[in-house]
């Protein structure tokens, strides 16, 4: 049996930044365990790398409170360690007159959250992002940046290992909470803890339920597929071009993102998936797939917002539908400008099965000497360094 003062389940961005924050308050015996060979193999290492700037989120929510400060801290971290970062900003464009109302609402939310934004007319948009296309107005976010998530994860791992106070157990899968004591069972043996933190991302609901928590929550995976622009087409994109989203849903729509390495990606989709790691057409489909399909059907019947997603998003597996969505955001784009790429991710979206609603905010549940972080979806990567501080201050320090 192994033991640690603080045991963290999950080696993604939340688990790593929590360990970093715990070191700051004097923790000297931390175990991080993960079922994969490497850290950040799932959402943390597969996201677009965009550091969001507090535009989309309702003032007062956890997402709104943490996003902007998290953005600033992550940018500073990249600069401190010389990690790739592109401070290109982002434009949000309207595809028709009806979307102008939402564009104005995004400006209101951004300003309420303390973010810097600027409303541009078509001429100003052309000066900033010449190939972007909008209806009358667009919103510019100068604080949006793009980073390399895998480089950040690698640096955090190096920093934690160098402390001599953090141990990593890879290829170690959580099985269950052992009854009657502060121990968990893994496929590599039992681990005893004084404090346990569930940062398991796509498996966080299952881990929490093993502790008797999160009974009304279930995870519903959504698949994000991408295309990439050819080099010649990529030269026409300076930064990031986003559509006005449906703010009733937690998805932002297909968009253009220039990476700090010069590549320009289009995506992601939000296609309902049939497994928590269903990255391929059939890969990642397992015994749980029938339960996920049941939840899909249940939401299809009871939730009009999900019904809209389920009817529209799967079409984007077909190239012409994916291309059509992307082409609405720019003046010049041809089908030959897009090439398929291997980049694909899963958004582990939490659902409240008692109300049949998608959960829009982060969820943190505390029980005795355990903390469970649920629904750590976008902007979780952006927010992670500030999120970690708040978890430590508001939960760990009170155990």
């Amino acid at each position: 049996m192994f033991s640690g003062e603080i045991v963290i389940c999950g080696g993604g961005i939340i688990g790593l930044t929590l360990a970093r924050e715990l070191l700051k308050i004097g923790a000297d015996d931390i175990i991080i365990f993960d079922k994969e060979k490497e850290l950040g193999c799932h959402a943390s290492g597969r996201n677009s790398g965009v550091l969001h700037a507090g535009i989309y989120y309702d003032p007062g929510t956890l997402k709104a409170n943490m996003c902007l400060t998290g953005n600033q801290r992550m940018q500073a971290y990249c600069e401190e360690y010389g990690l790739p970062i592109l401070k290109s900003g982002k434009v949000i464009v309207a595809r028709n007159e009806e979307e102008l109302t939402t564009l104005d609402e995004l400006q209101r939310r951004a300003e309420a959250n303390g973010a810097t934004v600027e409303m541009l007319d078509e001429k100003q948009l052309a000066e900033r992002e010449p190939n972007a296309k909008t209806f009358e107005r667009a919103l510019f976010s100068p604080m949006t940046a793009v980073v390399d998530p895998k480089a950040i994860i690698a640096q955090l791992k190096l920093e934690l290992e160098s402390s001599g106070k953090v141990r990593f157990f890879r290829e170690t899968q959580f099985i269950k909470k052992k009854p009657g004591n502060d121990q968990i069972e893994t496929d590599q043996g039992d681990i005893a803890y004084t404090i346990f933190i569930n940062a398991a991302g796509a498996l966080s609901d299952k881990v929490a339920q093993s502790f008797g928590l999160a009974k009304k929550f279930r995870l519903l995976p959504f698949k994000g597929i991408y295309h990439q622009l050819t080099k010649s087409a990529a030269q026409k994109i300076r930064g990031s071009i986003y559509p006005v989203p449906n703010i009733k849903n937690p998805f932002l729509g297909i968009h253009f993102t220039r990476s700090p390495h010069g590549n320009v990606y289009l995506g992601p989709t939000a296609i309902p998936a049939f497994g928590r790691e269903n990255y391929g057409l059939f890969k990642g489909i397992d015994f749980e797939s029938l339960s996920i399909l049941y939840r899909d059907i249940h939401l299809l019947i009871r939730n009009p917002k999900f019904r809209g997603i389920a009817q529209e998003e799967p079409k984007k597996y077909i190239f012409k539908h994916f291309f059509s969505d992307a082409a609405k955001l720019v003046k010049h784009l041809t089908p030959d400008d897009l090439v398929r790429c291997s980049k694909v991710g899963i958004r582990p979206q939490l659902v409240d099965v008692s109300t049949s609603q998608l959960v829009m905010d982060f969820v943190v549940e505390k029980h005795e000497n355990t903390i469970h972080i649920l629904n750590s979806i976008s902007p979780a990567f952006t927010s992670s360094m500030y999120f970690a501080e708040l978890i430590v201050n508001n939960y760990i320090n009170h155990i």
Side-chain angles (χ1 to χ4, degrees):
M1 184 178 75
F2 304 97
S3 65
E5 178 189 3
I6 301 174
V7 174
I8 299 174
C9 176
I13 191 66
I14 299 297
L16 297 177
T17 52
L18 274 168
R20 181 173 180 264
E21 199 64 35
L22 287 163
L23 290 177
K24 292 181 182 179
I25 64 166
D28 59 6
D29 182 18
I30 301 172
I31 290 175
I32 299 175
F33 73 95
D34 194 281
K35 69 182 181 66
E36 305 294 351
K37 290 182 180 180
E38 302 295 336
L39 303 177
C41 285
H42 299 290
S44 295
R46 291 174 174 265
N47 65 77
S48 64
V50 174
L51 298 184
H52 297 285
I55 294 173
Y56 300 104
Y57 317 112
D58 274 329
T61 61
L62 286 173
K63 287 185 176 183
N65 293 340
M66 292 186 290
C67 185
L68 189 57
T69 301
N71 171 306
Q72 294 166 334
R73 292 190 181 184
M74 191 65 81
Q75 289 202 40
Y77 189 79
C78 289
E79 291 172 347
E80 179 182 356
Y81 290 100
L83 304 179
I85 182 169
L86 178 65
K87 298 184 177 183
S88 56
K90 170 173 71 177
V91 294
I92 303 173
V93 299
R95 289 158 291 193
N96 52 56
E97 184 176 6
E98 288 73 24
E99 290 188 339
L100 294 178
T101 299
T102 304
L103 197 68
D104 291 334
E105 170 63 13
L106 292 178
Q107 182 180 28
R108 184 197 71 80
R109 290 185 179 190
E111 292 172 349
N113 292 334
T116 300
V117 290
E118 179 184 357
M119 193 68 78
L120 307 178
D121 60 27
E122 292 179 82
K123 181 180 178 181
Q124 292 170 317
L125 175 64
E127 292 170 353
R128 187 165 295 282
E129 190 69 71
N131 198 26
K133 178 173 63 178
T134 197
F135 182 89
E136 293 187 356
R137 293 184 278 121
L139 194 64
F140 174 58
S141 166
M143 300 180 71
T144 300
V146 188
V147 298
D148 182 338
K150 291 183 179 179
I152 291 171
I153 289 167
Q155 179 60 44
L156 285 167
K157 172 178 171 286
L158 178 63
E159 181 181 351
L160 296 174
E161 284 182 329
S162 299
S163 73
K165 300 174 181 179
V166 181
R167 288 175 284 164
F168 289 96
F169 294 178
R170 299 178 185 82
E171 298 182 272
T172 302
Q173 184 161 352
F174 178 92
I175 295 178
K176 66 180 181 180
K177 162 74 170 70
K178 299 200 74 174
N181 53 38
D182 291 338
Q183 294 179 20
I184 57 167
E185 181 182 340
T186 79
D187 61 355
Q188 300 298 321
D190 295 348
I191 304 177
Y193 59 85
T194 302
I195 297 174
F196 177 83
I197 303 175
N198 169 13
L203 294 170
S204 58
D205 59 327
K206 284 190 169 184
V207 174
Q209 286 156 15
S210 181
F211 285 77
L213 305 173
K215 294 180 180 180
K216 69 176 183 177
F217 295 123
R218 297 292 185 276
L219 183 133
L220 201 62
F222 289 83
K223 185 183 301 184
I225 60 173
Y226 292 80
H227 285 72
Q228 189 173 338
L229 288 187
T230 62
K231 288 185 178 180
S232 59
Q235 292 174 358
K236 300 175 184 177
I237 307 296
R238 293 180 178 176
S240 294
I241 304 173
Y242 278 61
V244 170
N246 178 352
I247 55 177
K248 294 179 181 179
N249 287 327
F251 309 106
L252 300 181
I254 288 175
H255 49 269
F256 293 76
T257 303
R258 174 173 285 277
S259 82
H261 304 295
N263 303 317
V264 175
Y265 295 97
L266 284 76
T269 57
I271 300 168
F274 297 108
R276 295 171 189 250
E277 298 173 17
N278 180 208
Y279 297 117
L281 190 59
F282 298 107
K283 182 181 179 182
I285 294 178
D286 56 22
F287 67 90
E288 191 189 13
S289 298
L290 288 176
S291 297
I292 292 173
L293 179 60
Y294 172 79
R295 293 199 285 275
D296 282 344
I297 293 171
H298 186 74
L299 283 177
L300 195 68
I301 296 169
R302 298 193 59 189
N303 188 315
K305 292 186 291 185
F306 176 79
R307 188 157 57 243
I309 295 169
Q311 290 170 344
E312 291 300 318
E313 287 293 317
K315 294 178 183 178
K316 295 171 190 175
Y317 266 127
I318 301 171
F319 178 80
K320 71 175 183 178
H321 292 290
F322 187 103
F323 174 79
S324 176
D325 252 30
K328 294 173 183 177
L329 309 182
V330 293
K331 298 171 184 174
H332 306 290
L333 190 71
T334 70
D336 290 339
D337 292 332
L338 278 65
V339 293
R340 289 300 296 263
C341 66
S342 58
K343 188 177 178 68
V344 60
I346 295 289
R347 179 190 180 101
Q349 173 66 49
L350 208 63
V351 175
D352 185 334
V353 294
S354 68
T355 61
S356 297
Q357 297 296 315
L358 304 182
V359 179
M360 298 292 283
D361 206 359
F362 303 143
V363 176
V364 181
E365 293 199 1
K366 177 180 178 293
H367 177 67
E368 297 176 345
N369 56 338
T370 71
I371 308 295
H372 302 264
I373 300 164
L374 309 172
N375 212 37
S376 53
I377 53 176
S378 180
F381 194 97
T382 299
S383 306
S384 57
M385 289 189 170
Y386 188 39
F387 191 15
E389 179 185 312
L390 295 181
I391 293 295
V392 170
N393 289 341
N394 295 338
Y395 295 94
I396 305 297
N397 284 336
H398 298 289
I399 290 178

